[in-house]
Amino acid sequence: MHDRTPQPLGLTDADRIDRLRLIRSDNVGPRTFRSLLNHFGDARTALERLPDLARRGGAARSGRVCSEEDARAELAAASKIGVSLVVPDEAGYPPRLATLDDAPPLLGVRGAPDVLMRPMIAIVGSRNASGAGLKFASQLARDLGDAGFVVISGLARGIDQAAHRATIQTGTVAVLAGGHDRIYPPEHEDLLAALLEHGGAISEMPLGHVPRARDFPRRNRLISGAALGVVVVEAAHRSGSLITARMAAEQGREVFAVPGSPLDPRAAGTNDLIKQGATLTTEAADVINAVAPIMERPVTLGASEPDSEPLDFDAGTGERARIIDLLGPTPVSLDDLIRMSGASPTIVRTVLLELELAGRLERHGGGMVSLI
Amino acid sequence: MHDRTPQPLGLTDADRIDRLRLIRSDNVGPRTFRSLLNHFGDARTALERLPDLARRGGAARSGRVCSEEDARAELAAASKIGVSLVVPDEAGYPPRLATLDDAPPLLGVRGAPDVLMRPMIAIVGSRNASGAGLKFASQLARDLGDAGFVVISGLARGIDQAAHRATIQTGTVAVLAGGHDRIYPPEHEDLLAALLEHGGAISEMPLGHVPRARDFPRRNRLISGAALGVVVVEAAHRSGSLITARMAAEQGREVFAVPGSPLDPRAAGTNDLIKQGATLTTEAADVINAVAPIMERPVTLGASEPDSEPLDFDAGTGERARIIDLLGPTPVSLDDLIRMSGASPTIVRTVLLELELAGRLERHGGGMVSLI
């Protein structure tokens, strides 16, 4: 059962190096990467223009541009531990993950070559799960694995671990918040080694990157994004699993939640999800029936869609100043900026991109931005 | 907070006696009572015609017609223990209960005069409930009581008992499967006595009637019918509470269900209800918010609606024989009978009513009937 047949891209080694340099350069995130690549046509040209664009955005000093040596060194080190750096639409890049607006431009992938191309269901939940929660997660994961699905999760303690362990034989994928050589929690290195035989691990972070708190929500978008749907097994109010569920909904993925007693605080989050429309899940069939119609539709690649929104570097000095004046530490929406500045959407987006490359802009949820 | 102001009917003592005689006569149920009353205009005429109708239906010997003495004796005995026998639209008859097609023509009511006219929420669930289930039922009942609702339930062990006990002060109603003097389970006589001060008890059964197994599903339609909605707290697969939930849905009442772990068999029924569309309920606000818009609409009385479907006692012998020939021990639908016999719906209904009065017809759910 394959989610999608990959299209050979014919990416040259030089182009892969350039793309890696671009995404590893300061202040370049997946969305900025995509805008730059679309605008300039290739990563090499974008790299050459980076210092100039950051200067236009008001950078006090130029941000670091990743050197060719550093990129080559990362590729070599990755290769040494069995990690390939793949781009969307290449074999090994999970097809559904490639459809995200903020899909990683290069993804470090490791493990069984086939597993990342198969249809996936994410199972997530509390780190301090109950015995019942762990038992249910194991059973659900096993049943989904037996039905041909790859179970994807975050290698955390509790529910994640139970879901991975139950699917070591059928195929499971761990999504890492740090580099492939910085496993968190460290006691799960054995679990990771065990699951790699039939499963895989993915990370968008460079080798050596130690995961910090803010990397986990960012990582969670990959768990939901690669999957057809996310099952939340146990989750208290305001827990990380609910962030994954919210991201899943924003990404158009199915959200499943396992109910629990109103007196059990570990079920408060999942019961709320069901109230908000998540599918109540007590067995694998609930998941399988819901994703069956989605699997019949072809996966549409973001990269094959009409281009991302265009840029225009011809903003006048007055226009640029007007936009920057409207920005401050309080987040404001892109729509409001366009309306209040009187500038075109393309100009506003371009000025924001320059500010971002200068390290002066912070992006929040829902298209809100603020100055740092 | 009153559900509806009762309309004085000016029912005479003689009419009340006649109605009681009619409903206490053999083979007369609430639906048949209503058809007869609508057709003949008063209970007295219907009583006079009963033996003839049963004979037309092929009764081997005439069914018992309740005598005037028996009816007077029941009224006197009821009055002695504080039970009034009220008809739909009279004070003390729960307004929403009166809207049912099969509302009891006379209802034995007891307790605080006001409580039966207020908006009610039913709370039902397992007799062998878990500690958590009992605790939750108590809390929910208390919160609904504090919000002005009367909690109605079945006086059973487990969830019912917890719901009643928590609302003794705010008002709670017990619906009995037997007569008012045949409390089941007997150890709940104290609970009943305690709840009668601010609450009430209702039964459609004559005094002295010992409840049998088949009386409980019948009773359950009164629990759901009198309420705005039914909350099922804990219920295994195929439990009695699920019958109440199904009746509630058929009656157009709201259905609420309390979630639980998929590993807890006592939550299997409630989780299923939520999958089928019941409102997931973890707190009183879930119930209150859902019933608020319903409370704003006036209660429409079945009795004030256009007449029930008419009868026509002029069926020809051939027509009657054709209909009876189509019947057997296997249930068949009214629609199929009409289609296959070629007789008019009114004639078919009338022949079935005669068979029923003769004690030869059994009615099943969904308009299915069979010969006994």
Side-chain angles (χ1 to χ4, degrees):
Chain A
M1 170 156 90
H2 274 76
D3 222 17
R4 188 160 187 281
T5 311
Q7 311 291 321
L9 270 192
L11 192 72
T12 65
D13 276 359
D15 200 7
R16 193 180 310 269
I17 294 283
D18 287 341
R19 291 191 187 201
L20 185 56
R21 289 181 61 199
L22 185 56
I23 190 61
R24 295 297 188 236
S25 293
D26 278 0
N27 305 318
V28 178
R31 281 201 172 83
T32 307
F33 180 100
R34 203 174 161 198
S35 295
L36 292 171
L37 198 68
N38 280 331
H39 184 79
F40 293 113
D42 60 63
R44 170 62 57 98
T45 312
L47 279 165
E48 284 163 358
R49 296 295 305 277
L50 267 191
D52 177 45
L53 297 178
R55 198 162 44 243
R56 290 161 66 114
R61 51 185 194 78
S62 202
R64 200 189 61 93
V65 174
C66 175
S67 71
E68 190 173 327
E69 287 112 306
D70 284 353
R72 288 198 183 280
E74 180 177 347
L75 271 181
S79 171
K80 215 165 165 184
I81 60 168
V83 172
S84 305
L85 286 152
V86 294
V87 304
D89 233 0
E90 277 192 316
Y93 199 109
R96 282 175 200 274
L97 185 56
T99 66
L100 300 188
D101 286 342
D102 57 354
L106 278 109
L107 187 70
V109 304
R110 188 181 179 197
D114 190 54
V115 70
L116 293 161
M117 309 308 284
R118 287 166 52 201
M120 302 188 192
I121 300 290
I123 298 180
V124 300
S126 304
R127 288 190 298 277
N128 67 333
S130 71
L134 295 171
K135 185 176 168 187
F136 181 81
S138 297
Q139 188 57 55
L140 179 72
R142 191 171 301 117
D143 291 345
L144 289 171
D146 289 344
F149 291 93
V150 170
V151 169
I152 183 168
S153 193
L155 202 70
R157 300 183 185 97
I159 299 296
D160 288 19
Q161 176 186 194
H164 286 306
R165 259 191 216 293
T167 50
I168 283 176
Q169 293 304 319
T170 50
T172 183
V173 169
V175 187
L176 312 173
H180 274 281
D181 54 352
R182 293 291 184 271
I183 301 311
Y184 183 85
E187 68 265 30
H188 283 179
E189 282 182 13
D190 287 354
L191 171 59
L192 180 65
L195 70 80
L196 283 176
E197 191 186 344
H198 302 289
I202 64 177
S203 169
E204 65 178 322
M205 293 304 190
L207 292 183
H209 181 88
V210 177
R212 299 147 300 175
R214 67 165 181 235
D215 293 326
F216 290 90
R218 178 178 174 169
R219 181 275 312 265
N220 291 352
R221 87 185 195 285
L222 305 185
I223 297 179
S224 53
L228 288 150
V230 173
V231 187
V232 185
V233 176
E234 272 187 346
H237 277 306
R238 280 185 289 280
S239 67
S241 306
L242 298 185
I243 300 176
T244 311
R246 203 189 61 225
M247 286 174 170
E250 287 172 8
Q251 292 165 346
R253 305 299 186 254
E254 297 296 304
V255 181
F256 303 90
V258 179
S261 162
L263 300 181
D264 181 355
R266 283 180 282 216
T270 53
N271 285 340
D272 268 357
L273 285 175
I274 298 167
K275 286 186 189 176
Q276 291 156 29
T279 301
L280 185 146
T281 301
T282 58
E283 55 183 354
D286 296 325
V287 177
I288 295 167
N289 294 339
V291 301
I294 306 167
M295 289 177 64
E296 285 166 12
R297 297 197 294 268
V299 182
T300 27
L301 259 197
S304 342
E305 281 169 16
D307 241 341
S308 70
E309 290 161 327
L311 299 174
D312 176 357
F313 290 99
D314 289 333
T317 322
E319 219 168 9
R320 171 178 287 109
R322 230 176 17 254
I323 295 166
I324 296 175
D325 276 352
L326 289 168
L327 288 164
T330 306
V332 59
S333 78
L334 187 64
D335 287 347
D336 282 346
L337 278 178
I338 292 165
R339 195 171 45 74
M340 293 189 291
S341 68
S344 74
T346 303
I347 289 286
V348 172
R349 266 194 308 271
T350 307
V351 170
L352 294 180
L353 180 122
E354 290 169 356
L355 288 169
E356 192 171 14
L357 288 175
R360 295 176 64 198
L361 192 86
E362 187 170 359
R363 292 190 188 268
H364 309 267
M368 307 287 281
V369 292
S370 66
L371 277 191
I372 291 170
Chain B
M1 172 155 91
H2 276 77
D3 222 17
R4 187 161 188 281
T5 311
Q7 310 290 321
L9 270 194
L11 193 71
T12 64
D13 276 358
D15 199 7
R16 193 180 311 268
I17 294 284
D18 288 339
R19 291 192 187 199
L20 184 56
R21 290 181 61 198
L22 184 57
I23 189 64
R24 295 298 187 236
S25 293
D26 277 1
N27 305 318
V28 178
R31 280 200 171 84
T32 307
F33 180 100
R34 202 174 160 199
S35 294
L36 293 171
L37 197 68
N38 281 329
H39 184 78
F40 294 113
D42 59 63
R44 169 63 56 102
T45 312
L47 278 166
E48 285 163 359
R49 295 294 306 278
L50 267 190
D52 177 47
L53 297 179
R55 198 162 46 240
R56 291 162 66 115
R61 51 182 192 80
S62 200
R64 200 189 62 91
V65 175
C66 174
S67 71
E68 191 176 324
E69 286 111 308
D70 284 354
R72 287 198 184 280
E74 180 177 348
L75 271 181
S79 172
K80 216 166 163 182
I81 60 167
V83 172
S84 306
L85 285 153
V86 294
V87 304
D89 233 2
E90 277 192 314
Y93 199 109
R96 281 175 200 275
L97 185 56
T99 66
L100 300 187
D101 286 342
D102 57 354
L106 277 108
L107 187 70
V109 304
R110 189 182 179 196
D114 191 53
V115 71
L116 291 161
M117 309 309 283
R118 287 166 52 200
M120 302 188 193
I121 300 290
I123 298 181
V124 300
S126 305
R127 287 191 297 278
N128 66 334
S130 71
L134 295 172
K135 185 176 168 187
F136 181 81
S138 296
Q139 187 58 54
L140 179 71
R142 191 171 300 116
D143 291 345
L144 288 171
D146 289 345
F149 292 93
V150 170
V151 169
I152 183 167
S153 192
L155 202 70
R157 299 182 184 96
I159 299 297
D160 289 19
Q161 176 185 192
H164 286 306
R165 260 193 215 293
T167 49
I168 283 176
Q169 293 305 318
T170 51
T172 182
V173 170
V175 186
L176 310 174
H180 274 282
D181 54 352
R182 292 293 184 272
I183 300 312
Y184 183 85
E187 68 266 32
H188 283 180
E189 282 182 15
D190 286 354
L191 172 58
L192 179 64
L195 69 79
L196 283 176
E197 190 187 345
H198 303 289
I202 64 177
S203 168
E204 64 177 323
M205 292 305 190
L207 291 183
H209 181 87
V210 177
R212 299 147 301 176
R214 66 165 182 235
D215 293 327
F216 290 90
R218 178 178 174 169
R219 182 274 313 264
N220 290 353
R221 87 185 196 285
L222 305 185
I223 297 179
S224 52
L228 289 150
V230 174
V231 187
V232 185
V233 176
E234 272 187 345
H237 277 306
R238 278 187 289 281
S239 66
S241 306
L242 299 184
I243 299 176
T244 311
R246 202 190 63 224
M247 285 176 170
E250 286 172 8
Q251 293 166 344
R253 305 297 186 257
E254 297 297 303
V255 180
F256 303 90
V258 179
S261 162
L263 301 181
D264 181 355
R266 283 180 283 214
T270 52
N271 286 341
D272 269 357
L273 285 176
I274 299 167
K275 286 186 189 176
Q276 291 157 28
T279 301
L280 186 146
T281 301
T282 58
E283 55 183 355
D286 297 324
V287 177
I288 295 167
N289 294 338
V291 301
I294 305 166
M295 290 177 64
E296 285 166 11
R297 297 197 293 268
V299 182
T300 27
L301 259 197
S304 344
E305 281 169 16
D307 242 341
S308 70
E309 290 161 327
L311 299 174
D312 177 356
F313 291 99
D314 290 331
T317 321
E319 219 169 9
R320 172 178 287 110
R322 228 174 24 251
I323 295 166
I324 295 176
D325 276 351
L326 289 167
L327 287 163
T330 306
V332 58
S333 78
L334 185 65
D335 287 347
D336 283 345
L337 278 179
I338 292 165
R339 195 172 44 75
M340 292 188 291
S341 69
S344 74
T346 302
I347 289 287
V348 172
R349 265 195 308 273
T350 306
V351 169
L352 294 180
L353 179 121
E354 290 168 354
L355 289 168
E356 193 172 13
L357 289 175
R360 294 175 63 198
L361 193 87
E362 188 170 358
R363 293 191 188 269
H364 308 266
M368 307 287 280
V369 293
S370 67
L371 278 191
I372 292 170

